Structure formats: C-alpha cells, structure tokens
Amino acid sequence: MILLNEKKIKAFINTRQQLSENTKLAYFYDLRAFIKFVDGKPLTQTILNMFQLELRTLAPASQHRKVSTINLFLKYLYQSGDITQYYELESISPLAHRQTSHTEYRGRLIDITPYYHQVQKPGDLLVLLILEFGLKPSEIQTLKWADFNWDFKILTVAGNGIKRILPIRERFSRLARPIKNGDELFTKSRQFLHYELKKTTSLSSASLREQYILQRVAEKMSIYKLAESLGLKSIQTLDKYYR
C-alpha cells in the first residue's frame, strides 16, 4: 500500500518544472492538507468522496484549485505505478453558483490611519505591531528589539519551529525606530499587554490581527504568502477572506 507523505508530494512537484515558485508552493500546501486528511488510510474512492465533502465549505474557486491539484497528483501516482487504480475527485467549476449562507464571511476594513502616530505609550506600539505584522500577543512576548533590522528593513519572528522574515514598512519604521526601550515591553506579562491594549483601542488583539489580514487581502497578497507571513501551517482559516 502506498504511503502518502511529503516526499511523494515533492517528487510530484519536481516533475512540473514549468510552474512558478508561488504555484509550486500552492501545490505543496494543498497536497499536504490532502495527505493529512487521508492520514495513512488506504486510498479509496470513499476516502476521496469524504474529502470532497470537506471541501464544500469553501468557495468554488478554492474548491476548483484544490481538486485540480489533487487530481494531477493522483494521475502522477497512477502513471508512476504507486497506485494500481486510477482515482479522481469530481471536477468543480470555479464559477459555480454559491448560495449565500450563514457561514459566508463579510469582513470589513476600517480606517487604521488614526493608529499611526507618535508612539507615546506601550499600547501604541502594541497596536502597530499587530496591524503591521499580524502578531499575536504571545508572539510579541517572544520578540527582542534586536529582531528588528532597521538597515535591511526586516523583522525576524521565531516560534513553533518556524522562522518568519517579515518586511518592515517605512511608516512603521518612522514611528518605531526611535524607541529605546522596546525590550522592556516584550518582557511584560500577557495581562499587562491586554490591559495596555485595552487602554489604547476598543479593538481586541484578534480584531486588529483581522485588520492585518484584510489589509493584505486588499493589497492582493496571495493566500499562501499570507499564511506564511502569519506562521500558519495551512490556508484553511484564510479561505473565507478570499471568497
């Protein structure tokens, strides 16, 4: 019985040299989610049907992309002799009609300009760190001021075995670079951060992080690049923002 794993995915992707790096990364994420669902079980049409049911919560365009990728992968496995029976998922039109339901998401961008002013208190910096980098309070606590490379304009965030390199934009640099005691903030407790944030804005850290996501979506950042920026292991939680 074939064991589906990341080695098989990489071997498949290596056969498609004509693809861009972004597309290869998209293939990898979609196929990794697929093999995680299969979870070592024998590959059968029943398993595929169950997986396709899982996809129905996604937008037609997302379903189409995932189904197309997985079908190419299944064809590769059959042609290479890894599986003896040819399987495929049912094709989905990217323009298929999607009825509005209670699960449909309606994110709303707000004007975040008022938050971009001289940093005078801890909450001001906290808000900017979330709006600019999509950081969670727990991630902010792991930072050191030395992680901000102002010359190369990058922030290094390490956590959960993943190291992310995030660009520092000019408007953030202009406001934050003059700060001399950033490390003092990063050593504070979660309760302290929550309290300072509450004194600064009516938005929660989750709502501010969502604004980061909505801003990047409005800037046409790909769903895979956004997942990478946020340190996510899959794009599933971001699909609703791209419908």
Side-chain angles (χ1 to χ4, degrees):
M1 180 183 70
I2 179 178
L3 178 62
L4 295 180
N5 52 36
E6 291 188 7
K7 184 177 180 180
K8 289 290 182 184
I9 293 175
K10 291 174 182 178
F12 163 66
I13 292 174
N14 286 338
T15 66
R16 310 190 72 79
Q17 295 297 325
Q18 76 280 12
L19 300 178
S20 68
E21 291 304 313
N22 281 342
T23 302
K24 288 180 181 179
L25 185 62
Y27 274 36
F28 179 79
Y29 276 118
D30 284 342
L31 293 174
R32 187 171 66 176
F34 173 62
I35 63 172
K36 184 178 180 180
F37 180 86
V38 174
D39 192 28
K41 302 181 185 72
L43 190 61
T44 64
Q45 191 62 52
T46 300
I47 289 290
L48 295 180
N49 292 343
M50 292 172 61
F51 182 75
Q52 189 134 29
L53 284 174
E54 291 282 316
L55 296 181
R56 289 186 179 179
T57 60
L58 305 179
S62 296
Q63 292 186 56
H64 172 76
R65 184 192 70 241
K66 294 176 186 294
V67 166
S68 297
T69 301
I70 292 167
N71 280 344
L72 286 172
F73 182 53
L74 293 172
K75 184 177 181 180
Y76 161 78
L77 294 175
Y78 177 69
Q79 291 178 332
S80 61
D82 288 307
I83 56 177
T84 58
Q85 183 174 343
Y86 179 63
Y87 296 102
E88 65 178 358
L89 296 171
E90 180 183 350
S91 297
I92 300 292
S93 168
L95 301 178
H97 175 68
R98 177 170 56 88
Q99 294 181 337
T100 302
S101 70
H102 67 281
T103 59
E104 186 170 354
Y105 184 75
R106 297 292 185 188
R108 182 174 67 88
L109 277 170
I110 64 171
D111 180 13
I112 60 175
T113 305
Y115 293 113
Y116 287 82
H117 54 72
Q118 183 180 2
V119 176
Q120 298 177 324
K121 57 185 185 296
D124 294 336
L125 180 57
L126 286 171
V127 170
L128 291 178
L129 287 170
I130 301 172
L131 287 176
E132 282 290 304
F133 306 106
L135 299 177
K136 299 176 182 177
S138 59
E139 293 173 321
I140 291 174
Q141 288 181 292
T142 68
L143 293 177
K144 296 181 177 60
W145 202 240
D147 294 330
F148 295 83
N149 189 318
W150 303 107
D151 295 327
F152 289 95
K153 293 184 172 57
I154 57 173
L155 166 63
T156 302
V157 180
N160 297 323
I162 301 174
K163 182 175 287 187
R164 293 133 64 193
I165 306 298
L166 305 176
I168 296 177
R169 299 196 291 186
E170 180 58 34
R171 65 176 179 174
F172 175 82
S173 177
R174 186 174 63 252
L175 296 171
R177 189 170 186 176
I179 296 172
K180 302 300 181 184
N181 59 340
D183 280 325
E184 183 178 339
L185 172 65
F186 304 144
T187 60
K188 298 296 186 181
S189 68
R190 185 83 62 87
Q191 290 78 8
F192 176 87
L193 299 185
H194 175 75
Y195 178 69
E196 291 299 320
L197 198 62
K198 193 172 182 179
K199 290 197 304 183
T200 305
T201 176
S202 61
L203 297 177
S204 65
S205 60
S207 295
L208 290 168
R209 181 174 159 91
E210 183 175 58
Q211 286 302 310
Y212 167 83
I213 293 171
L214 292 170
Q215 294 286 341
R216 301 294 87 78
V217 172
E219 293 167 4
K220 307 300 183 184
M221 178 181 283
S222 77
I223 190 171
Y224 301 99
K225 182 66 175 177
L226 182 52
E228 182 182 358
S229 297
L230 290 167
L232 302 177
K233 294 184 178 180
S234 81
I235 62 171
Q236 187 173 355
T237 58
L238 296 177
D239 262 315
K240 63 182 180 181
Y241 297 102
Y242 286 82
R243 293 179 183 177

